[in-house]
Amino acid sequence: YATLSAVVKEQTSPFNGKEAALLVEELRSNFNTGRTKSYEWRISQLQSIARMIDEKEKCITEALYQDLSKPELEAFLAEISNTKSSCMLAIKELKNWMAPETVKTSVTTFPSSAQIVSEPLGVVLVISAWNFPFLLSVEPVIGAIAAGNAVVLKPSEIAPAASSLLAKLFSEYLDNTTIRVIEGGVPETTALLDQKWDKIFFTGGARVARIIMAAAAKNLTPVVLELGGKCPALVDSDVNLQVAARRIIAGKWACNSGQACIGVDYVITTKDFASKLIDALKTELETFFGQNALESKDLSRIVNSFHFKRLESMLKENGVANKIVHGGQTTEDKLKISPTILLDVPEASSMMQEEIFGPLLPVITVQKIEDGFQVIRSKPKPLAAYLFTNSTELQKQFVQNVSAGGMTINDTVLHVTVKDLPFGGVGESGIGAYHGKFSYETFSHKKGVLYRSFSGDADLRYPPYTPKKKMV
Ligand code: NAD
């Protein structure tokens, strides 16, 4: 990783509560100068991010390979080009987003005019996760900058190469008086959470989200929580089998080896159809990853040995190991687990109770496809839900009756790429949303402003409140 090591410096100083307080104080005083509010500042920072992505694409790809063995094309499509397109959209639309919106007024205020004016929230904190460490760090920062905030980014320590690269690149490309990266794990994040922020934008799991929300509550700080959950794919028997199988694979194993918040967690299908679907998945898996998937360069590894062991123990659990119908091979030295399919694992197993976040795919069977709705509803609301069917009636029922952060019908994960769709969870899968204009709005306060002149000063509202006034 010659390019990467040339760019990334050793992180030197530890970060404690005192430094966190000084950091926020400095950023707040710089925010208070008003500099970040100007269109010029916002656009220049966004342009710098776009330039950073163009100029440092190779380093970013190398960092993602170092942290996750992420295949180059997967890294490019899912992280680099996706982040760049969000940045370009913000650059293109910023003037429109910033423009006050004129709204109707009422008879009570006549004559008057009214506007919704967006204002930045102030100094915001972005805490991100390790699985898409570049995208999940930079995408919210784009929204925070577009909305005119000062921002601190705390990337995940579990993807250390991406974390230190982000620290280095932000200091090289962006205005460091208002935009900073603080690296670290629990102690550093705790020090940051002890400060007063104007918004905390968190991507991660539900356990830590509760810590974030409790810390935010002390200062009434609003939060966005981008979490995960068990994302189901319900597969009807009337589908184009090959296309459905390919798209399920794309949303599971070709998606960071299943380490993705909107990756397919489990499949539900009918008893009669399960074997056909599993056969199609096996055929397409071999086409994509060859006969020995553990050797494939196109399969990301598990991020670290903690998560490798967690997944291995899910597989070894009582009543689960004998349900493997495909795969199940592991190699600890390379931290790889082959694409693994299991049929009807017990509902009480951790594989069906916890978010899997790895390359294991349980297939659950039901008598009728509609019974799948109840399986989904019996679990906390997922971040994404998928349905494969040609039946428009079933599609309608699914959209109306299944609650999830977002959905793609007849495919997986692609709704995340549509910038005009809000991306976020519901219930246990999160609070708030972002992407495109939603990112701008997430980091803005919408201020209602009523403009009056000195004319039309009707007596009606002033005492004395005579009966005659009520008649009017
Ligand atoms: P995590 O919750 O363990 O960590 C997220 C962040 O919180 C990291 O930056 C970490 O340093 C920090 N953190 C960890 N423990 C902490 C503590 N005790 N106090 C304060 N901060 C702490 O999540 P993860 O393992 O990085 O990511 C996996 C989870 O994130 C999965 O549940 C996944 O579904 C979810 N996720 C959601 C999205 C989304 O966009 N909704 C995207 C990716 C991942």
Side-chain angles (χ1 to χ4, degrees):
Y1 308 105
T3 330
L4 182 64
S5 52
V7 171
V8 175
K9 273 193 303 190
E10 286 279 297
Q11 208 200 344
T12 44
S13 62
F15 185 78
N16 56 35
K18 201 170 147 210
E19 283 167 322
L22 285 172
L23 170 75
V24 178
E25 193 184 311
E26 184 193 332
L27 261 61
R28 193 170 298 287
S29 97
N30 292 334
F31 172 79
N32 285 339
T33 65
R35 180 164 23 144
T36 65
K37 289 186 182 171
S38 74
Y39 172 80
E40 289 70 25
W41 180 87
R42 303 183 200 198
I43 211 79
S44 75
Q45 298 308 302
L46 293 171
Q47 281 164 345
S48 293
I49 291 181
R51 193 162 52 81
M52 171 185 97
I53 296 172
D54 284 343
E55 291 174 0
K56 294 297 188 293
E57 183 184 321
K58 195 165 180 339
C59 297
I60 300 164
T61 311
E62 284 175 8
L64 297 175
Y65 187 79
Q66 196 161 317
D67 286 333
L68 289 145
S69 310
K70 202 170 270 206
E72 191 175 334
L73 190 68
E74 222 181 290
F76 179 75
L77 293 174
E79 303 218 43
I80 299 169
S81 92
N82 209 359
T83 313
K84 172 88 188 287
S85 69
S86 294
C87 193
M88 297 316 289
L89 180 74
I91 291 170
K92 180 167 161 269
E93 294 295 336
L94 188 61
K95 268 215 170 102
N96 293 332
W97 293 347
M98 286 176 71
E101 184 191 340
T102 302
V103 294
K104 282 187 195 151
T105 54
S106 64
V107 166
T108 326
T109 65
F110 182 84
S112 66
S113 64
Q115 284 186 328
I116 301 170
V117 177
S118 288
E119 65 178 20
L121 297 170
V123 185
V124 300
L125 174 63
V126 172
I127 301 172
S128 71
W130 52 262
N131 57 336
F132 291 85
F134 187 76
L135 171 77
L136 297 175
S137 297
V138 182
E139 176 109 32
V141 167
I142 289 169
I145 292 173
N149 297 279
V151 54
V152 172
L153 165 67
K154 208 298 290 175
S156 172
E157 74 284 15
I158 293 178
S163 172
S164 48
L165 182 64
L166 282 163
K168 165 71 184 154
L169 295 184
F170 272 40
S171 78
E172 193 180 321
Y173 282 86
L174 299 175
D175 169 13
N176 295 161
T177 66
T178 48
I179 305 167
R180 291 285 176 80
V181 174
I182 298 299
E183 289 192 79
V186 177
E188 292 80 3
T189 317
T190 307
L192 289 168
L193 287 173
D194 281 343
Q195 312 309 313
K196 181 170 164 42
W197 302 91
D198 296 299
K199 187 145 204 174
I200 301 176
F201 185 104
F202 169 79
T203 303
R207 183 188 66 82
V208 181
R210 286 172 165 83
I211 298 172
I212 306 291
M213 209 168 170
K218 290 193 189 119
N219 292 306
L220 287 182
T221 298
V223 291
V224 169
L225 304 175
E226 290 285 338
L227 314 179
K230 291 187 78 61
C231 304
L234 183 61
V235 187
D236 198 2
S237 54
D238 70 349
V239 295
N240 178 324
L241 192 52
Q242 190 192 19
V243 175
R246 287 159 64 92
R247 291 176 178 180
I248 290 168
I249 295 170
K252 180 73 174 177
W253 297 284
C255 203
N256 208 21
S257 226
Q259 302 167 106
C261 55
I262 53 166
V264 177
D265 188 277
Y266 64 106
V267 161
I268 310 169
T269 192
T270 53
K271 280 204 181 341
D272 299 343
F273 188 62
S275 60
K276 279 192 194 136
L277 178 63
I278 290 170
D279 286 347
L281 287 168
K282 286 181 187 175
T283 307
E284 296 305 321
L285 276 170
E286 195 173 318
T287 313
F288 292 168
F289 300 111
Q291 284 192 337
N292 184 1
L294 291 180
E295 296 297 323
S296 171
K297 286 203 240 7
D298 295 323
L299 188 71
S300 300
R301 68 165 161 80
I302 308 306
V303 68
N304 58 24
S305 68
F306 169 82
H307 284 284
F308 180 87
K309 291 202 167 82
R310 178 183 64 79
L311 290 161
E312 227 184 17
S313 71
M314 263 187 186
L315 263 185
K316 286 180 179 162
E317 217 173 275
N318 256 350
V320 171
N322 60 340
K323 302 289 183 183
I324 297 175
V325 292
H326 181 76
Q329 295 83 17
T330 63
T331 154
E332 192 166 359
D333 58 330
K334 289 187 184 155
L335 294 177
K336 282 206 170 181
I337 299 178
S338 67
T340 300
I341 305 173
L342 304 98
L343 182 60
D344 281 329
V345 299
E347 176 56 30
S349 61
S350 18
M351 194 175 289
M352 285 313 295
Q353 293 300 314
E354 292 165 20
E355 180 180 17
I356 297 171
F357 223 61
L360 320 176
L361 182 70
V363 175
I364 300 303
T365 59
V366 287
Q367 286 299 342
K368 301 192 303 309
I369 198 69
E370 291 79 8
D371 296 343
F373 287 33
Q374 190 42 39
V375 177
I376 300 170
R377 279 198 223 105
S378 70
K379 300 185 183 304
K381 295 179 179 184
L383 184 60
Y386 306 110
L387 169 70
F388 288 84
T389 185
N390 268 310
S391 157
T392 45
E393 181 51 34
L394 191 65
Q395 293 182 8
K396 201 170 129 198
Q397 282 180 32
F398 191 78
V399 173
Q400 279 180 357
N401 298 321
V402 170
S403 183
M407 292 180 164
T408 298
I409 306 296
N410 286 329
D411 210 324
T412 58
V413 307
L414 286 186
H415 61 287
V416 71
T417 64
V418 180
K419 305 285 182 208
D420 283 346
L421 288 177
F423 183 76
V426 58
E428 279 277 313
S429 56
I431 296 174
Y434 72 135
H435 285 192
K437 193 177 182 193
F438 300 101
S439 294
Y440 176 83
E441 290 181 347
T442 273
F443 287 105
S444 299
H445 165 61
K446 290 211 168 289
K447 187 162 66 180
V449 182
L450 181 70
Y451 291 94
R452 297 263 281 144
S453 70
F454 291 102
S455 66
D457 193 36
D459 278 347
L460 189 63
R461 60 197 276 229
Y462 302 119
Y465 301 123
T466 57
K468 205 171 137 204
K469 287 186 176 169
K470 198 175 172 196
M471 304 295 287
V472 180

